[in-house]
Amino acid sequence: MELTELYGQLGISEAVIQFAKETESDLRPRFETVDQTAEYNQLKVIQAMQKARVSDIHFAGTTGYGYNDLGRDTLEAVYANAFHGEDALVRPQLISGTHALTVALSGNLRPGDEILSPVGKPYDTLEEVIGIRESVGSLKEFGITYRQTDLLADGSFDYEAIRGAVNERTKLVEIQRSKGYATRPTLSVKQIGELISFLKSLKPDVICMVDNCYGEFVETIEPTDVGADMIVGSLIKNPGGGLAPIGGYIVGRKDCIERAACRLTAPGLGKEVGASLGVSQSLYQGLFLAPSVVAGALKGAIFAANLYERLGFSVIPNGTESRHDIIQSIIFQKPEAVIRFCRGIQAAAPVDSFVTPEPWAMPGYDSDVIMAAGAFIQGSSIELSADAPMKPPYAVYFQGGLTWHHAKLGILMSLQKLYEANLIKL
Ligand SMILES: *Cc1c(COP(=O)(O)O)cnc(C)c1O
């Protein structure tokens, strides 16, 4: 059977395939660059594992208190090595990215301290963690205040406003690398480094924490290479490589990690406890695969940007600009187009392809959200997934793909759904 015939059986029409073909061949040089980054990061991960002398004994799990969990402790050494930090906390007990960020923040802040976000509003779920939106148990309830400066219109840092915002109570700066559900540009690691240098020149002891979600392995350096005191992320995003069934990580300065660990477990217990149960092998193997999984996801994002740009939609990042995370947003301006797009992604999934996504009121978000995910791991967004808050400008945020060929099928299917609904002309 011809490839086009098989695509046809899956529901992709000839018109869509023809339209995509040219874009794909134009992208060969871009894909080559993505593969070079993956090659570098693959070596970095292997080197980190060799340095920690990873062995199959580390794949065994512990139970109960988890004292002397060799697999857990060695995995933390691997993360510290790979991301060039002094220490790491990598745990299945960190249940999500939001939880890992909460632990890093609440472990390192004390009553009377202030948090500064110099890059605009943080990710939606953090609004309740910090108390920007009232919430039970927020940092605000513990007497921790929050201040924010926004990016300038061109996406650069407002250095004057930042200078004015830093004060004697500023204890921690939260820098979100990825744009999340905003339409600002994602920050490059180099830009983050410049911001950190500026902040440290104003206040040398301020803790610079980077929300690294979706950024891992997109570049050859990470924020810890440019002065970040802590980087934080989710294992069901980039660094789990699609295999980690749960977990989060914090990598950075030893004292910061210690304080986070004492919050995650208990004062006096810190990193010494926390059984890895049976998940260690997936966390190691997922990290090992992560550089090439991220490369597949990046190719999908670049492909989508170029296809939808050709159709006249505005896309962030645009078709040609350099990438600093795996998220692609497409601004549709119409709720129907957002819904069709998500249904296309769902229909291309290996799991739950028969399900029809609908907008719903998801906890932690301030508007209805539609999500498409046919994932092996619930909520995993390193797997091909799309989500969109149902509010103007009706932008869809699309990310992941454990393999490039699956990402490609998902994007073709989204195009197909829009085409069938007469929302685009090919
Ligand atoms: C996904 C994400 C989070 C939160 O992660 P969850 O695992 O969904 O809780 C935080 N910040 C950014 C930038 C993210 O992309």
Side-chain angles (χ1 to χ4, degrees), residues 95-101 122-126 174-181 184 211-215 232-237 247-248 325 327 362 365 371 379 381 399:
I95 60 116
S96 66
T98 303
H99 186 211
L101 287 157
Y123 191 75
D124 299 44
T125 57
L126 284 190
E174 133 102 20
I175 303 167
Q176 184 179 306
R177 178 172 174 182
S178 168
K179 63 183 169 295
Y181 279 159
R184 68 148 166 104
D211 174 350
N212 208 27
C213 282
Y214 290 129
V232 185
S234 164
L235 301 194
I236 62 167
K237 292 180 180 173
D325 68 11
I327 302 180
M362 203 187 155
Y365 296 88
M371 295 200 160
S381 47
Q399 66 274 315

Side-chain angles (χ1 to χ4, degrees), residues 298-309:
L298 271 174
K299 288 176 188 174
I302 293 167
F303 183 61
N306 282 276
L307 276 183
Y308 280 96
E309 198 166 56

